[in-house]
Amino acid sequence: MTTECLKDKHIYMMGDSTMRQWFEFFTKAVPTLKQMNLHVQYQAGPLMAVDVENNIDLHWRAHGVPLRTLKTEIANLHYVSNEIDDLAGGPHTIIMFNLGPHFTTYPLDFFTHRVLRIRKAVLALLQRAPDTTVIIKTVNTGYKDIFGSDWYSLQLDRALRWAFQDVGVYILDVWQMTACHYNKENIHPGPVIIKNEIDILLSFICPK
């Protein structure tokens, strides 16, 4: 079912390691989807997997700075808004992104500015290709250490939802899914939660 849903799709994923978990899920769930070695630092990407048989190409890359990662080439760190500006869009294009934990050491205004730049890029994309599917993953709970807290993550989550409340995009709410699950809270949710997230994601991509 997953393969059939993703067939003939160009899928662009941009965000942090919690969205990279989606990329990793798909490479395991779709046997014909083969990851390519792009000779990059894995934490930051870009990563790419291809299924020639079903005409699927899957991409993931980090959302650009600020980013806590191992040493990587700065040229590989692209802002989400710039990436979206470079995509033509269309009925076969799926764009999904998230922002969150890496912004918790910065003022809310900094995060809001970044989100509004992305909003502008998404509006332009939907104007030139209104049949493009855009999906936003909300912030996770479970980020409790020196770098962040769920309280501040919630402020980021509210700003993200506010910015896209009147834009024709899907918002996949993982806040409640990670807060209320019987699994122990973790910034990187366990496999059962990721599977639940993917099930909802696929319902957005293939509503029928």
Side-chain angles (χ1 to χ4, degrees):
M1 188 182 86
T2 301
T3 304
E4 188 62 29
C5 180
L6 300 183
K7 189 174 182 179
D8 294 322
K9 298 291 192 300
H10 311 297
I11 305 159
Y12 298 90
M13 313 169 80
M14 296 162 272
D16 56 35
S17 54
T18 64
M19 180 157 285
R20 192 176 67 230
Q21 288 183 280
W22 289 6
F23 178 91
E24 293 164 346
F25 178 93
F26 282 129
T27 57
K28 293 176 182 176
V30 181
T32 49
L33 194 59
K34 304 300 181 184
Q35 186 170 345
M36 299 179 66
N37 183 359
L38 300 182
H39 306 286
V40 296
Q41 200 282 103
Y42 185 80
Q43 279 188 313
L47 307 178
M48 181 178 180
V50 176
D51 179 349
V52 176
E53 181 181 336
N54 293 291
N55 199 32
I56 303 168
D57 56 280
L58 178 67
H59 310 260
W60 175 87
R61 70 183 317 133
H63 54 50
V65 293
L67 188 71
R68 291 185 286 278
T69 183
L70 297 176
K71 185 177 180 181
T72 189
E73 295 178 344
I74 191 68
N76 282 330
L77 299 180
H78 299 179
Y79 291 118
V80 174
S81 57
N82 291 345
E83 281 292 299
I84 293 174
D85 283 339
D86 287 340
L87 295 174
H92 297 286
T93 300
I94 313 294
I95 297 172
M96 52 190 83
F97 65 87
N98 81 309
L99 301 169
H102 296 272
F103 291 82
T104 56
T105 48
Y106 292 82
L108 185 58
D109 285 351
F110 178 85
F111 178 79
T112 303
H113 175 76
R114 179 69 63 84
V115 167
L116 290 177
R117 288 292 298 270
I118 298 172
R119 181 183 189 274
K120 182 178 179 182
V122 169
L123 287 172
L125 169 70
L126 294 178
Q127 185 172 26
R128 65 179 176 270
D131 46 4
T132 307
T133 300
V134 180
I135 301 166
I136 301 174
K137 174 181 169 295
T138 66
V139 180
N140 285 25
T141 60
Y143 196 38
K144 301 177 177 70
D145 62 18
I146 192 172
F147 293 115
S149 71
D150 281 347
W151 182 87
Y152 191 57
S153 293
L154 181 60
Q155 313 314 307
L156 303 183
D157 190 60
R158 287 174 172 172
L160 183 68
R161 294 169 189 267
W162 164 78
F164 286 93
Q165 62 184 333
D166 59 345
V167 180
V169 301
Y170 294 103
I171 295 183
L172 204 167
D173 184 357
V174 302
W175 182 270
Q176 299 292 348
M177 296 174 70
T178 53
C180 302
H181 204 274
Y182 58 78
N183 268 16
K184 184 178 179 180
E185 269 195 326
N186 192 318
I187 187 62
H188 297 112
V192 63
I193 298 178
I194 297 300
K195 175 64 166 60
N196 290 340
E197 293 175 356
I198 294 297
D199 285 344
I200 298 176
L201 175 68
L202 292 176
S203 75
F204 291 159
I205 298 173
C206 304
K208 298 181 181 179

